[in-house]
Amino acid sequence: MKCIFSLLTLLVFTPLCMAEPFAPIPLWPKGVPGEDHLELPEESVEFKGEYQIEILSNVSTPTLTWYPAKEPNGASVLVLPGGGYNILAMSHEGTEVCEWLNSIGIAAGLLKYRVPRREGLEPHEAPLQDVQRAIGIMRTNAIKWNINPERLGVLGFSAGGNLATMALTSDGTRNYESDPAFDTPNCVPNFGVLIYPAYLNDPDNPDDLAPGITVNETTPPVFMAVSDEDRKFVEGSARFYIEMQRKERPCELHIFTGGRHGFGLNKIDSPIKQWPMLTEQWMNELGLLTP
């Protein structure tokens, strides 16, 4: 009888304590801005490498998948996978990250933004539209989704880290026509987490930030983690940190000995695997984990 009761208890209460992600929400139900005339290949998915990483290609219909926290604290994070603005690493830099955020009480939105790069546009330009629309959807649904619209952050990996930086340093201007059904007045995140972010310094003058990235007295707080072996991008992280310091903006940078690029939440034999724990500590210090 005790075993039967335990089984019934599990069947009755487990669904109540498990938060399932929502069905993907199309960002542009009235049409993706500026792309009506494009003939784009069909979206495709494949699984690569030792960890069977899910790779998405040819994304032309961007979506937001919402992961509600089981025990929400009011904070939320928009997760931006990397992939060089050519593909999206959706598992170890996406779905798994959303599940980790849920485990510490943070609701998460997984953004499937447009790739590959659009001809004639800066690599981040079309994806930034997707980020700003996704932030608008999250803030528009704040009451329904049980989040605080002023505790909304972005977390990006590699090119997704660059995209997060563009959103964090934006003046809030959109280059598409705003729709009050989806867009709130403010499309700038309240904080950011950048994990091995790409393309932060000017390739022609590494002592400057990349064009389009401007740190000022209102840039939100940022946490950063990168490996010293990530030769292509570690200097950009340091440059961004220096500019944040010069503007007296909160910024925490961890440069780890050893490691590599693109590991996400995969197991890695390097101290940089501590980044989720350190990120949680940083968010807790900002009061983001307190209901």
Side-chain angles (χ1 to χ4, degrees), residues 78-82 93 109-111 113 131 154-161 163-164:
L78 181 64
V79 177
L80 311 176
E93 294 179 352
L110 177 57
L111 183 64
Y113 58 88
V131 169
V154 285
L155 192 166
F157 300 84
S158 192
L163 181 55

Side-chain angles (χ1 to χ4, degrees), residues 15 20 64 78 105 107 114 135 147 165 178 188 190 233 238 255 257-258:
E20 293 294 327
L64 173 69
L78 181 64
R114 280 171 279 169
I135 289 174
I147 61 172
T165 305
S178 178
V188 178
N190 301 107
F233 301 128
I255 300 178
T257 300

Side-chain angles (χ1 to χ4, degrees), residues 19-25 64-69 108 141 144-146:
E20 293 294 327
F22 292 6
I25 302 167
L64 173 69
T65 301
W66 187 247
Y67 287 73
N141 288 280
K144 185 191 302 184
W145 292 354
N146 199 19

